Amino acid sequence: MSIKKEFLYNLLIILAIIILDLLGDYIIFDKDIFSSSFTLFLFKTTFTISLLTVYIINYIYSVPKFLFKKKYLQYFLAFIGMILLFAGLRFFLEEIILYNITGRHNYFFDVPLSQLISNYAWDSFYYTLRVCLVSAVVCLFFRYNENKEEIHQLQIEQEKAKLSVLKSQISPHFLFNTLNNLYEELYEDKPKTAGDILKLSKLLRYVTYETNEDFTSISKEITFIEDYLYFFKRRYEDNFHVQLHIDGFVHNQKIPSLILIHFIENVCKHGIINDKNRPATITLVISDHILELKTKNYINTSDTYTGQGIGTKNIKQRLEVIYKDSFILEHQKTENQFEAYLKLEL
């Protein structure tokens, strides 16, 4: 759903809340703000402003930031903060600004201070709870429909990918059988070449078969990256200057398939990798819950650099579907250097 439509629906819901509130005043308390005194209208306006402030904060920040991520303690603290905000804003508008205009208080100030504070506190709790419940349900509804659309789109893409694999199954089988035959023929006479063929076969097999799942182990992705870089090193021999650093402990952590290779491919295809004075660097830092990838390279000016091209856009869209906002993807391009940074929660 577009932002424009979501805004329009929220506006209609807010108007419905205001109308129901006015109707409740009219039925229960026999108060009609349009035919009663102008002072009542002003007090109702300040009350509505306070209520809408809490609605917007809860909808835009508290629910997506805490409730949807199951951070219930943080949401509870945010809820307490919204109660205080509602009470403070309402007190400022009603008892300071409107009092100076109308000379009237909304509450009886001749009661003990403790009772006055209690009245404000209970009122603020009730109205904040009510508006937070409504805004949370509305936000949940929109995010649910948004997720349904994204899941449906992913299912369509997955079916397309499966169809593509089925169409091309004969060719990979033939290719792998041919590579295996070449490996066996060369194993005795040219073991180095035979080893390269085996490595190439493993690399192609991984891309063709083992990435059908959405997630794969980090250890397999690292092996794939090392094999990918190996063939560039074979091409450039001693003139290959890409430094790969892997820090951390790798065990059963999972990441989306073929996410990392996009950044490695950008370095090797569009960066300078054959100048020892300007080496490219790839740093992968892994912990139990965080993965960080940093790449830095000098830009090959003879090539059209596509660091921000279609591939990067597709990677970002895929990460947004999987991780929502629990990832960081940044690019920085200077006159002759390009840097990329990716951070994922595992």
Side-chain angles (χ1 to χ4, degrees):
M1 183 177 292
S2 67
I3 296 176
K4 185 177 179 180
K5 282 186 177 180
E6 187 172 343
F7 173 79
L8 179 61
Y9 286 137
N10 270 287
L11 184 60
L12 292 174
I13 291 168
I14 290 169
L15 288 174
I17 292 173
I18 295 172
I19 292 171
L20 288 173
D21 195 47
L22 295 175
L23 187 62
D25 283 350
Y26 180 76
I27 295 173
I28 299 172
F29 303 107
D30 194 25
K31 290 181 179 179
D32 184 355
I33 67 168
F34 299 106
S35 60
S36 301
S37 66
F38 184 64
T39 301
L40 180 60
F41 176 79
L42 290 177
F43 275 106
K44 201 64 184 178
T45 301
T46 57
F47 174 81
T48 302
I49 292 171
S50 304
L51 213 60
L52 290 182
T53 302
V54 173
Y55 183 100
I56 293 169
I57 291 174
N58 190 59
Y59 186 90
I60 294 177
Y61 182 78
S62 299
V63 172
K65 188 75 173 178
F66 303 124
L67 199 58
F68 285 174
K69 295 181 180 180
K70 298 181 180 180
K71 297 179 179 179
Y72 300 121
L73 177 60
Q74 289 92 325
Y75 183 76
F76 175 75
L77 296 175
F79 177 70
I80 298 299
M82 286 184 286
I83 293 175
L84 297 174
L85 173 65
F86 178 82
L89 182 59
R90 191 177 169 205
F91 184 88
F92 174 75
L93 293 174
E94 292 179 353
E95 309 300 344
I96 297 177
I97 294 180
L98 285 189
Y99 179 73
N100 287 324
I101 296 173
T102 65
R104 287 182 58 184
H105 291 294
N106 188 30
Y107 286 85
F108 296 107
F109 268 62
D110 55 352
V111 299
L113 181 61
S114 59
Q115 185 179 342
L116 180 65
I117 294 174
S118 176
N119 290 340
Y120 250 93
W122 280 112
D123 263 16
S124 299
F125 171 77
Y126 168 73
Y127 288 114
T128 303
L129 177 63
R130 191 177 71 171
V131 77
C132 282
L133 284 174
V134 173
S135 60
V137 169
V138 174
C139 188
L140 178 64
F141 171 77
F142 285 122
R143 297 294 83 79
Y144 172 75
N145 281 289
E146 188 178 89
N147 289 340
K148 276 181 63 178
E149 292 176 3
E150 290 175 350
I151 291 171
H152 180 65
Q153 188 61 36
L154 279 177
Q155 288 174 340
I156 293 173
E157 295 299 327
Q158 188 175 16
E159 291 303 318
K160 286 181 180 179
K162 287 181 179 178
L163 181 61
S164 177
V165 169
L166 287 173
K167 287 180 179 179
S168 61
Q169 268 188 338
I170 296 176
S171 296
H173 274 299
F174 174 76
L175 177 62
F176 293 137
N177 287 335
T178 302
L179 289 174
N180 287 337
N181 290 334
L182 289 172
Y183 170 76
E184 292 174 1
E185 290 177 8
L186 296 172
Y187 181 75
E188 294 291 338
D189 297 332
K190 296 183 178 180
K192 184 174 178 58
T193 303
D196 289 348
I197 291 174
L198 181 63
K199 195 179 291 289
L200 177 61
S201 178
K202 287 167 58 182
L203 189 149
L204 293 174
R205 190 178 299 276
Y206 180 77
V207 174
T208 305
Y209 295 124
E210 297 190 30
T211 57
N212 290 333
E213 298 294 329
D214 291 332
F215 286 82
T216 188
S217 67
I218 293 179
S219 59
K220 289 183 178 180
E221 285 285 296
I222 290 175
T223 301
F224 178 69
I225 290 170
E226 290 173 338
D227 289 344
Y228 181 86
L229 292 175
Y230 171 81
F231 284 103
F232 273 93
K233 188 173 183 180
R234 286 278 286 143
R235 174 184 174 185
Y236 289 95
E237 297 180 343
D238 294 335
N239 206 28
F240 182 69
H241 300 285
V242 175
Q243 301 170 359
L244 175 64
H245 307 285
I246 301 175
D247 298 322
F249 182 67
V250 179
H251 44 91
N252 296 321
Q253 304 103 312
K254 299 280 188 177
I255 57 172
S257 305
L258 298 178
I259 282 288
L260 302 183
I261 192 60
H262 161 78
F263 301 90
I264 314 305
E265 186 180 31
N266 264 2
V267 170
C268 293
K269 290 181 66 177
H270 307 294
I272 295 174
I273 57 176
N274 59 349
D275 186 344
K276 67 178 181 180
N277 296 319
R278 295 184 292 175
T281 59
I282 301 167
T283 304
L284 188 62
V285 181
I286 306 159
S287 67
D288 286 338
H289 305 292
I290 298 293
L291 177 143
E292 291 181 283
L293 175 68
K294 303 175 185 177
T295 67
K296 183 177 181 180
N297 61 271
Y298 287 87
I299 298 173
N300 189 347
T301 54
S302 63
D303 186 25
T304 302
Y305 198 74
T306 57
Q308 295 278 12
I310 295 174
T312 299
K313 182 180 179 181
N314 290 341
I315 289 291
K316 185 177 181 181
Q317 289 176 341
R318 188 178 172 199
L319 290 171
E320 286 173 346
V321 170
I322 297 172
Y323 291 99
K324 302 299 179 186
D325 57 350
S326 297
F327 75 96
I328 298 174
L329 176 60
E330 297 175 342
H331 300 88
Q332 183 176 354
K333 182 181 178 183
T334 61
E335 185 177 348
N336 60 351
Q337 282 189 319
F338 184 83
E339 297 182 33
Y341 176 74
L342 173 67
K343 182 179 180 180
L344 302 177
E345 292 184 8
L346 303 176

PDB file of all heavy atoms in Angstrom, residues 266 270-271 295-301 303-309 330-341:
ATOM      1  N   ASN A 266      31.661  -6.850  -7.427  1.00  0.00           N
ATOM      2  CA  ASN A 266      31.848  -5.434  -7.752  1.00  0.00           C
ATOM      3  C   ASN A 266      33.308  -5.020  -7.645  1.00  0.00           C
ATOM      4  O   ASN A 266      33.819  -4.259  -8.471  1.00  0.00           O
ATOM      5  CB  ASN A 266      30.994  -4.569  -6.818  1.00  0.00           C
ATOM      6  CG  ASN A 266      29.659  -4.206  -7.445  1.00  0.00           C
ATOM      7  OD1 ASN A 266      29.339  -4.616  -8.553  1.00  0.00           O
ATOM      8  ND2 ASN A 266      28.869  -3.454  -6.711  1.00  0.00           N
ATOM      9  N   HIS A 270      34.861  -4.202 -11.299  1.00  0.00           N
ATOM     10  CA  HIS A 270      34.872  -2.762 -11.552  1.00  0.00           C
ATOM     11  C   HIS A 270      35.975  -2.018 -10.817  1.00  0.00           C
ATOM     12  O   HIS A 270      36.098  -0.803 -10.971  1.00  0.00           O
ATOM     13  CB  HIS A 270      33.514  -2.162 -11.161  1.00  0.00           C
ATOM     14  CG  HIS A 270      32.349  -2.850 -11.811  1.00  0.00           C
ATOM     15  ND1 HIS A 270      32.132  -2.823 -13.165  1.00  0.00           N
ATOM     16  CD2 HIS A 270      31.347  -3.601 -11.273  1.00  0.00           C
ATOM     17  CE1 HIS A 270      31.038  -3.498 -13.441  1.00  0.00           C
ATOM     18  NE2 HIS A 270      30.544  -3.996 -12.314  1.00  0.00           N
ATOM     19  N   GLY A 271      36.743  -2.726 -10.006  1.00  0.00           N
ATOM     20  CA  GLY A 271      37.818  -2.080  -9.271  1.00  0.00           C
ATOM     21  C   GLY A 271      39.187  -2.425  -9.842  1.00  0.00           C
ATOM     22  O   GLY A 271      39.334  -3.322 -10.671  1.00  0.00           O
ATOM     23  N   THR A 295      34.140  -3.430   1.987  1.00  0.00           N
ATOM     24  CA  THR A 295      35.008  -3.513   0.807  1.00  0.00           C
ATOM     25  C   THR A 295      35.493  -2.115   0.450  1.00  0.00           C
ATOM     26  O   THR A 295      34.773  -1.127   0.624  1.00  0.00           O
ATOM     27  CB  THR A 295      34.274  -4.123  -0.402  1.00  0.00           C
ATOM     28  OG1 THR A 295      33.230  -3.235  -0.834  1.00  0.00           O
ATOM     29  CG2 THR A 295      33.668  -5.473  -0.051  1.00  0.00           C
ATOM     30  N   LYS A 296      36.714  -2.056  -0.047  1.00  0.00           N
ATOM     31  CA  LYS A 296      37.293  -0.776  -0.456  1.00  0.00           C
ATOM     32  C   LYS A 296      38.199  -1.025  -1.643  1.00  0.00           C
ATOM     33  O   LYS A 296      39.045  -1.925  -1.609  1.00  0.00           O
ATOM     34  CB  LYS A 296      38.083  -0.164   0.705  1.00  0.00           C
ATOM     35  CG  LYS A 296      38.669   1.208   0.404  1.00  0.00           C
ATOM     36  CD  LYS A 296      39.363   1.779   1.631  1.00  0.00           C
ATOM     37  CE  LYS A 296      39.943   3.151   1.356  1.00  0.00           C
ATOM     38  NZ  LYS A 296      40.629   3.717   2.553  1.00  0.00           N
ATOM     39  N   ASN A 297      38.017  -0.268  -2.689  1.00  0.00           N
ATOM     40  CA  ASN A 297      38.842  -0.450  -3.882  1.00  0.00           C
ATOM     41  C   ASN A 297      38.951   0.846  -4.659  1.00  0.00           C
ATOM     42  O   ASN A 297      38.099   1.741  -4.539  1.00  0.00           O
ATOM     43  CB  ASN A 297      38.255  -1.544  -4.787  1.00  0.00           C
ATOM     44  CG  ASN A 297      36.860  -1.205  -5.267  1.00  0.00           C
ATOM     45  OD1 ASN A 297      35.884  -1.539  -4.599  1.00  0.00           O
ATOM     46  ND2 ASN A 297      36.747  -0.556  -6.406  1.00  0.00           N
ATOM     47  N   TYR A 298      40.005   0.934  -5.442  1.00  0.00           N
ATOM     48  CA  TYR A 298      40.158   2.051  -6.372  1.00  0.00           C
ATOM     49  C   TYR A 298      39.332   1.745  -7.621  1.00  0.00           C
ATOM     50  O   TYR A 298      39.255   0.589  -8.066  1.00  0.00           O
ATOM     51  CB  TYR A 298      41.627   2.254  -6.746  1.00  0.00           C
ATOM     52  CG  TYR A 298      42.443   2.854  -5.630  1.00  0.00           C
ATOM     53  CD1 TYR A 298      43.025   2.047  -4.659  1.00  0.00           C
ATOM     54  CD2 TYR A 298      42.625   4.234  -5.533  1.00  0.00           C
ATOM     55  CE1 TYR A 298      43.767   2.590  -3.621  1.00  0.00           C
ATOM     56  CE2 TYR A 298      43.356   4.787  -4.497  1.00  0.00           C
ATOM     57  CZ  TYR A 298      43.924   3.961  -3.548  1.00  0.00           C
ATOM     58  OH  TYR A 298      44.654   4.505  -2.513  1.00  0.00           O
ATOM     59  N   ILE A 299      38.717   2.775  -8.154  1.00  0.00           N
ATOM     60  CA  ILE A 299      37.802   2.586  -9.283  1.00  0.00           C
ATOM     61  C   ILE A 299      38.586   2.484 -10.580  1.00  0.00           C
ATOM     62  O   ILE A 299      39.484   3.294 -10.853  1.00  0.00           O
ATOM     63  CB  ILE A 299      36.809   3.755  -9.358  1.00  0.00           C
ATOM     64  CG1 ILE A 299      35.962   3.805  -8.087  1.00  0.00           C
ATOM     65  CG2 ILE A 299      35.905   3.626 -10.582  1.00  0.00           C
ATOM     66  CD1 ILE A 299      35.076   5.022  -7.984  1.00  0.00           C
ATOM     67  N   ASN A 300      38.238   1.485 -11.361  1.00  0.00           N
ATOM     68  CA  ASN A 300      38.833   1.305 -12.672  1.00  0.00           C
ATOM     69  C   ASN A 300      38.181   2.304 -13.625  1.00  0.00           C
ATOM     70  O   ASN A 300      37.045   2.126 -14.051  1.00  0.00           O
ATOM     71  CB  ASN A 300      38.611  -0.131 -13.154  1.00  0.00           C
ATOM     72  CG  ASN A 300      39.392  -0.426 -14.424  1.00  0.00           C
ATOM     73  OD1 ASN A 300      39.901   0.468 -15.087  1.00  0.00           O
ATOM     74  ND2 ASN A 300      39.487  -1.696 -14.761  1.00  0.00           N
ATOM     75  N   THR A 301      38.881   3.352 -13.963  1.00  0.00           N
ATOM     76  CA  THR A 301      38.299   4.435 -14.776  1.00  0.00           C
ATOM     77  C   THR A 301      38.030   4.004 -16.217  1.00  0.00           C
ATOM     78  O   THR A 301      37.283   4.669 -16.929  1.00  0.00           O
ATOM     79  CB  THR A 301      39.225   5.657 -14.790  1.00  0.00           C
ATOM     80  OG1 THR A 301      40.541   5.258 -15.221  1.00  0.00           O
ATOM     81  CG2 THR A 301      39.325   6.270 -13.401  1.00  0.00           C
ATOM     82  N   ASP A 303      36.437   1.404 -16.927  1.00  0.00           N
ATOM     83  CA  ASP A 303      35.199   0.635 -16.885  1.00  0.00           C
ATOM     84  C   ASP A 303      34.074   1.528 -16.392  1.00  0.00           C
ATOM     85  O   ASP A 303      34.288   2.440 -15.606  1.00  0.00           O
ATOM     86  CB  ASP A 303      35.371  -0.565 -15.935  1.00  0.00           C
ATOM     87  CG  ASP A 303      34.176  -1.492 -15.953  1.00  0.00           C
ATOM     88  OD1 ASP A 303      33.464  -1.494 -16.982  1.00  0.00           O
ATOM     89  OD2 ASP A 303      33.948  -2.187 -14.954  1.00  0.00           O
ATOM     90  N   THR A 304      32.874   1.265 -16.854  1.00  0.00           N
ATOM     91  CA  THR A 304      31.705   1.997 -16.356  1.00  0.00           C
ATOM     92  C   THR A 304      31.320   1.412 -15.017  1.00  0.00           C
ATOM     93  O   THR A 304      30.802   0.314 -14.929  1.00  0.00           O
ATOM     94  CB  THR A 304      30.526   1.871 -17.347  1.00  0.00           C
ATOM     95  OG1 THR A 304      30.936   2.361 -18.621  1.00  0.00           O
ATOM     96  CG2 THR A 304      29.331   2.677 -16.841  1.00  0.00           C
ATOM     97  N   TYR A 305      31.572   2.166 -13.962  1.00  0.00           N
ATOM     98  CA  TYR A 305      31.366   1.626 -12.613  1.00  0.00           C
ATOM     99  C   TYR A 305      29.875   1.579 -12.284  1.00  0.00           C
ATOM    100  O   TYR A 305      29.163   2.562 -12.461  1.00  0.00           O
ATOM    101  CB  TYR A 305      32.092   2.470 -11.573  1.00  0.00           C
ATOM    102  CG  TYR A 305      32.270   1.742 -10.276  1.00  0.00           C
ATOM    103  CD1 TYR A 305      33.218   0.730 -10.177  1.00  0.00           C
ATOM    104  CD2 TYR A 305      31.474   2.028  -9.175  1.00  0.00           C
ATOM    105  CE1 TYR A 305      33.388   0.032  -8.993  1.00  0.00           C
ATOM    106  CE2 TYR A 305      31.635   1.342  -7.994  1.00  0.00           C
ATOM    107  CZ  TYR A 305      32.595   0.348  -7.907  1.00  0.00           C
ATOM    108  OH  TYR A 305      32.754  -0.343  -6.746  1.00  0.00           O
ATOM    109  N   THR A 306      29.402   0.430 -11.791  1.00  0.00           N
ATOM    110  CA  THR A 306      27.974   0.235 -11.546  1.00  0.00           C
ATOM    111  C   THR A 306      27.724  -0.121 -10.094  1.00  0.00           C
ATOM    112  O   THR A 306      26.876  -0.942  -9.784  1.00  0.00           O
ATOM    113  CB  THR A 306      27.410  -0.866 -12.461  1.00  0.00           C
ATOM    114  OG1 THR A 306      28.163  -2.073 -12.243  1.00  0.00           O
ATOM    115  CG2 THR A 306      27.488  -0.472 -13.912  1.00  0.00           C
ATOM    116  N   GLY A 307      28.490   0.467  -9.201  1.00  0.00           N
ATOM    117  CA  GLY A 307      28.328   0.157  -7.779  1.00  0.00           C
ATOM    118  C   GLY A 307      26.935   0.479  -7.273  1.00  0.00           C
ATOM    119  O   GLY A 307      26.428  -0.148  -6.364  1.00  0.00           O
ATOM    120  N   GLN A 308      26.258   1.457  -7.885  1.00  0.00           N
ATOM    121  CA  GLN A 308      24.916   1.834  -7.459  1.00  0.00           C
ATOM    122  C   GLN A 308      23.896   1.403  -8.513  1.00  0.00           C
ATOM    123  O   GLN A 308      22.817   1.973  -8.614  1.00  0.00           O
ATOM    124  CB  GLN A 308      24.836   3.354  -7.249  1.00  0.00           C
ATOM    125  CG  GLN A 308      25.714   3.843  -6.132  1.00  0.00           C
ATOM    126  CD  GLN A 308      25.053   3.670  -4.778  1.00  0.00           C
ATOM    127  OE1 GLN A 308      24.058   2.995  -4.653  1.00  0.00           O
ATOM    128  NE2 GLN A 308      25.630   4.276  -3.762  1.00  0.00           N
ATOM    129  N   GLY A 309      24.213   0.381  -9.294  1.00  0.00           N
ATOM    130  CA  GLY A 309      23.354  -0.028 -10.399  1.00  0.00           C
ATOM    131  C   GLY A 309      22.240  -0.959  -9.981  1.00  0.00           C
ATOM    132  O   GLY A 309      21.829  -1.046  -8.832  1.00  0.00           O
ATOM    133  N   GLU A 330      25.459   0.595   3.056  1.00  0.00           N
ATOM    134  CA  GLU A 330      25.952   1.931   2.730  1.00  0.00           C
ATOM    135  C   GLU A 330      27.002   1.860   1.621  1.00  0.00           C
ATOM    136  O   GLU A 330      27.752   0.879   1.520  1.00  0.00           O
ATOM    137  CB  GLU A 330      26.577   2.589   3.967  1.00  0.00           C
ATOM    138  CG  GLU A 330      25.598   2.822   5.103  1.00  0.00           C
ATOM    139  CD  GLU A 330      26.249   3.368   6.357  1.00  0.00           C
ATOM    140  OE1 GLU A 330      27.502   3.252   6.474  1.00  0.00           O
ATOM    141  OE2 GLU A 330      25.534   3.894   7.219  1.00  0.00           O
ATOM    142  N   HIS A 331      27.048   2.903   0.829  1.00  0.00           N
ATOM    143  CA  HIS A 331      28.057   3.040  -0.224  1.00  0.00           C
ATOM    144  C   HIS A 331      28.649   4.448  -0.153  1.00  0.00           C
ATOM    145  O   HIS A 331      27.928   5.407   0.131  1.00  0.00           O
ATOM    146  CB  HIS A 331      27.452   2.819  -1.614  1.00  0.00           C
ATOM    147  CG  HIS A 331      26.835   1.478  -1.806  1.00  0.00           C
ATOM    148  ND1 HIS A 331      25.517   1.218  -1.485  1.00  0.00           N
ATOM    149  CD2 HIS A 331      27.356   0.315  -2.272  1.00  0.00           C
ATOM    150  CE1 HIS A 331      25.251  -0.037  -1.757  1.00  0.00           C
ATOM    151  NE2 HIS A 331      26.340  -0.606  -2.227  1.00  0.00           N
ATOM    152  N   GLN A 332      29.922   4.523  -0.408  1.00  0.00           N
ATOM    153  CA  GLN A 332      30.578   5.827  -0.429  1.00  0.00           C
ATOM    154  C   GLN A 332      31.550   5.864  -1.608  1.00  0.00           C
ATOM    155  O   GLN A 332      32.442   5.014  -1.718  1.00  0.00           O
ATOM    156  CB  GLN A 332      31.322   6.075   0.885  1.00  0.00           C
ATOM    157  CG  GLN A 332      31.972   7.451   0.948  1.00  0.00           C
ATOM    158  CD  GLN A 332      32.625   7.725   2.290  1.00  0.00           C
ATOM    159  OE1 GLN A 332      32.498   6.929   3.215  1.00  0.00           O
ATOM    160  NE2 GLN A 332      33.333   8.823   2.397  1.00  0.00           N
ATOM    161  N   LYS A 333      31.357   6.828  -2.477  1.00  0.00           N
ATOM    162  CA  LYS A 333      32.192   6.947  -3.670  1.00  0.00           C
ATOM    163  C   LYS A 333      32.877   8.297  -3.674  1.00  0.00           C
ATOM    164  O   LYS A 333      32.225   9.345  -3.565  1.00  0.00           O
ATOM    165  CB  LYS A 333      31.338   6.787  -4.925  1.00  0.00           C
ATOM    166  CG  LYS A 333      32.132   6.860  -6.220  1.00  0.00           C
ATOM    167  CD  LYS A 333      31.222   6.719  -7.415  1.00  0.00           C
ATOM    168  CE  LYS A 333      32.001   6.832  -8.724  1.00  0.00           C
ATOM    169  NZ  LYS A 333      31.109   6.770  -9.912  1.00  0.00           N
ATOM    170  N   THR A 334      34.196   8.282  -3.775  1.00  0.00           N
ATOM    171  CA  THR A 334      34.964   9.512  -3.931  1.00  0.00           C
ATOM    172  C   THR A 334      35.392   9.601  -5.392  1.00  0.00           C
ATOM    173  O   THR A 334      34.885   8.871  -6.245  1.00  0.00           O
ATOM    174  CB  THR A 334      36.183   9.518  -3.001  1.00  0.00           C
ATOM    175  OG1 THR A 334      37.037   8.406  -3.332  1.00  0.00           O
ATOM    176  CG2 THR A 334      35.741   9.391  -1.542  1.00  0.00           C
ATOM    177  N   GLU A 335      36.332  10.472  -5.646  1.00  0.00           N
ATOM    178  CA  GLU A 335      36.759  10.667  -7.037  1.00  0.00           C
ATOM    179  C   GLU A 335      37.375   9.407  -7.626  1.00  0.00           C
ATOM    180  O   GLU A 335      37.157   9.074  -8.787  1.00  0.00           O
ATOM    181  CB  GLU A 335      37.763  11.823  -7.112  1.00  0.00           C
ATOM    182  CG  GLU A 335      38.179  12.176  -8.534  1.00  0.00           C
ATOM    183  CD  GLU A 335      39.105  13.371  -8.574  1.00  0.00           C
ATOM    184  OE1 GLU A 335      39.235  14.058  -7.543  1.00  0.00           O
ATOM    185  OE2 GLU A 335      39.687  13.614  -9.629  1.00  0.00           O
ATOM    186  N   ASN A 336      38.135   8.661  -6.811  1.00  0.00           N
ATOM    187  CA  ASN A 336      38.814   7.482  -7.357  1.00  0.00           C
ATOM    188  C   ASN A 336      38.675   6.227  -6.493  1.00  0.00           C
ATOM    189  O   ASN A 336      39.296   5.210  -6.777  1.00  0.00           O
ATOM    190  CB  ASN A 336      40.305   7.778  -7.565  1.00  0.00           C
ATOM    191  CG  ASN A 336      40.986   8.146  -6.251  1.00  0.00           C
ATOM    192  OD1 ASN A 336      40.326   8.334  -5.228  1.00  0.00           O
ATOM    193  ND2 ASN A 336      42.308   8.245  -6.280  1.00  0.00           N
ATOM    194  N   GLN A 337      37.844   6.281  -5.436  1.00  0.00           N
ATOM    195  CA  GLN A 337      37.671   5.122  -4.569  1.00  0.00           C
ATOM    196  C   GLN A 337      36.195   4.830  -4.333  1.00  0.00           C
ATOM    197  O   GLN A 337      35.348   5.721  -4.400  1.00  0.00           O
ATOM    198  CB  GLN A 337      38.363   5.339  -3.218  1.00  0.00           C
ATOM    199  CG  GLN A 337      39.872   5.136  -3.259  1.00  0.00           C
ATOM    200  CD  GLN A 337      40.477   5.137  -1.859  1.00  0.00           C
ATOM    201  OE1 GLN A 337      40.086   5.937  -1.016  1.00  0.00           O
ATOM    202  NE2 GLN A 337      41.421   4.253  -1.613  1.00  0.00           N
ATOM    203  N   PHE A 338      35.943   3.565  -4.080  1.00  0.00           N
ATOM    204  CA  PHE A 338      34.581   3.138  -3.768  1.00  0.00           C
ATOM    205  C   PHE A 338      34.615   2.240  -2.539  1.00  0.00           C
ATOM    206  O   PHE A 338      35.443   1.332  -2.446  1.00  0.00           O
ATOM    207  CB  PHE A 338      33.964   2.383  -4.946  1.00  0.00           C
ATOM    208  CG  PHE A 338      32.518   2.003  -4.727  1.00  0.00           C
ATOM    209  CD1 PHE A 338      31.501   2.897  -4.970  1.00  0.00           C
ATOM    210  CD2 PHE A 338      32.185   0.734  -4.267  1.00  0.00           C
ATOM    211  CE1 PHE A 338      30.173   2.558  -4.770  1.00  0.00           C
ATOM    212  CE2 PHE A 338      30.866   0.376  -4.053  1.00  0.00           C
ATOM    213  CZ  PHE A 338      29.855   1.292  -4.316  1.00  0.00           C
ATOM    214  N   GLU A 339      33.705   2.516  -1.592  1.00  0.00           N
ATOM    215  CA  GLU A 339      33.608   1.704  -0.388  1.00  0.00           C
ATOM    216  C   GLU A 339      32.167   1.225  -0.206  1.00  0.00           C
ATOM    217  O   GLU A 339      31.230   1.967  -0.498  1.00  0.00           O
ATOM    218  CB  GLU A 339      34.026   2.503   0.860  1.00  0.00           C
ATOM    219  CG  GLU A 339      35.477   2.958   0.829  1.00  0.00           C
ATOM    220  CD  GLU A 339      35.867   3.715   2.101  1.00  0.00           C
ATOM    221  OE1 GLU A 339      35.325   3.362   3.182  1.00  0.00           O
ATOM    222  OE2 GLU A 339      36.676   4.645   2.011  1.00  0.00           O
ATOM    223  N   ALA A 340      32.041  -0.003   0.268  1.00  0.00           N
ATOM    224  CA  ALA A 340      30.719  -0.561   0.555  1.00  0.00           C
ATOM    225  C   ALA A 340      30.727  -1.143   1.953  1.00  0.00           C
ATOM    226  O   ALA A 340      31.769  -1.649   2.422  1.00  0.00           O
ATOM    227  CB  ALA A 340      30.350  -1.637  -0.466  1.00  0.00           C
ATOM    228  N   TYR A 341      29.587  -1.049   2.623  1.00  0.00           N
ATOM    229  CA  TYR A 341      29.478  -1.566   3.986  1.00  0.00           C
ATOM    230  C   TYR A 341      28.129  -2.250   4.152  1.00  0.00           C
ATOM    231  O   TYR A 341      27.090  -1.693   3.795  1.00  0.00           O
ATOM    232  CB  TYR A 341      29.616  -0.443   5.010  1.00  0.00           C
ATOM    233  CG  TYR A 341      29.410  -0.879   6.434  1.00  0.00           C
ATOM    234  CD1 TYR A 341      30.384  -1.616   7.104  1.00  0.00           C
ATOM    235  CD2 TYR A 341      28.238  -0.564   7.111  1.00  0.00           C
ATOM    236  CE1 TYR A 341      30.197  -2.015   8.423  1.00  0.00           C
ATOM    237  CE2 TYR A 341      28.042  -0.954   8.439  1.00  0.00           C
ATOM    238  CZ  TYR A 341      29.023  -1.686   9.077  1.00  0.00           C
ATOM    239  OH  TYR A 341      28.846  -2.085  10.381  1.00  0.00           O
TER     240      TYR A 341
END
